[in-house]
Amino acid sequence: MIPARRLAAGLAAVTLLAGGALLAGCSTSPERSAGDPPAAPPFADCAALASAPAPASAPAPASAPAPAATGGGPVAGKPRPAGQPLPDLALPCFTGDQAVDIGQIRGPAVINLWASWCAPCRDELPVLQRLAERAGGRLHVVGVVSEDDRGRAQSLAEDLAVSFPTLYDRPADLFHWTGKAGLPVTLFIGADGRVSHVYNGAPLDDAALAGLVHRYLRVVVPA
């Protein structure tokens, strides 16, 4: 007969081993710890935005007459963006955080202002992504996250597979400069750096966006 004291000790050892095995079985899916770096943004780098795209198939149309200027001035007042240069405004690139001077973006370019909380933006962002892929380097497609949380914007971009260069404008300074009442807002920038057209209507589909690009930037992109 096994003494009661030895039997109790053996049962305790078996219980500890079983508990350890159970705990080990619960840890098969490691979680991100607080010290892990955040996931890299899905967006492309912004370095190429200061260089002009490849020549378009036809020259860009002349912008509406506007006073001679090297920049669009500070963000203030009630501007009339069409025909004007972009404002003197530096925004951080979502990837790398280097500051990008909006006024130095070389056209032809399509600049889309969006936010994760904006339902029409969710419909329009994939259309902008397809434009960027089909343009073949003949124009820049640029996103500007406006008045939004950085993490939520990145999460939406990942869900929609959006990868074109994107800037972060937490106070929505560029949006306020356009004078529009809601997002999304799309700016069409000519080769001269001036705003050829501002669109702020129903979400664009492929054909409508390609039509605006051809009309205002003279770049032919398949829809």
Side-chain angles (χ1 to χ4, degrees):
M1 178 179 295
I2 301 175
R5 185 175 298 177
R6 289 180 58 191
L7 179 60
L11 289 173
V14 170
T15 301
L16 288 173
L17 289 173
L22 181 60
L23 290 174
C26 293
S27 61
T28 54
S29 299
E31 298 180 357
R32 180 184 296 274
S33 68
D36 288 342
F43 309 108
D45 186 78
C46 302
L49 299 181
S51 302
S57 55
S63 300
T70 57
V75 180
K78 295 182 178 180
R80 299 178 182 273
Q84 297 291 328
L86 288 165
D88 295 325
L89 178 63
L91 298 175
C93 182
F94 221 105
T95 300
D97 283 329
Q98 71 269 28
V100 174
D101 185 346
I102 288 288
Q104 296 302 311
I105 294 177
R106 298 276 66 85
V110 175
I111 302 178
N112 180 258
L113 283 59
W114 64 275
S116 65
W117 44 261
C118 160
C121 299
R122 294 171 177 264
D123 296 329
E124 202 171 70
L125 280 171
V127 178
L128 272 295
Q129 180 61 38
R130 288 192 291 272
L131 175 68
E133 294 166 357
R134 293 167 179 167
R138 289 171 292 164
L139 58 82
H140 292 309
V141 176
V142 186
V144 179
V145 174
S146 305
E147 203 168 13
D148 198 4
D149 175 79
R150 192 180 182 106
R152 292 192 183 96
Q154 178 170 329
S155 179
L156 177 62
E158 290 169 349
D159 290 344
L160 299 178
V162 172
S163 62
F164 50 79
T166 297
L167 309 175
Y168 187 53
D169 186 8
R170 182 68 181 86
D173 287 332
L174 184 59
F175 168 72
H176 295 310
W177 178 82
T178 68
K180 299 301 181 180
L183 294 173
V185 176
T186 303
L187 307 175
F188 295 82
I189 312 302
D192 59 359
R194 295 182 183 272
V195 179
S196 296
H197 181 63
V198 181
Y199 181 84
N200 182 223
L204 292 163
D205 59 20
D206 293 288
L209 181 55
L212 291 173
V213 167
H214 183 222
R215 179 177 180 181
Y216 292 104
L217 302 181
R218 291 294 189 264
V219 177
V220 177
V221 179

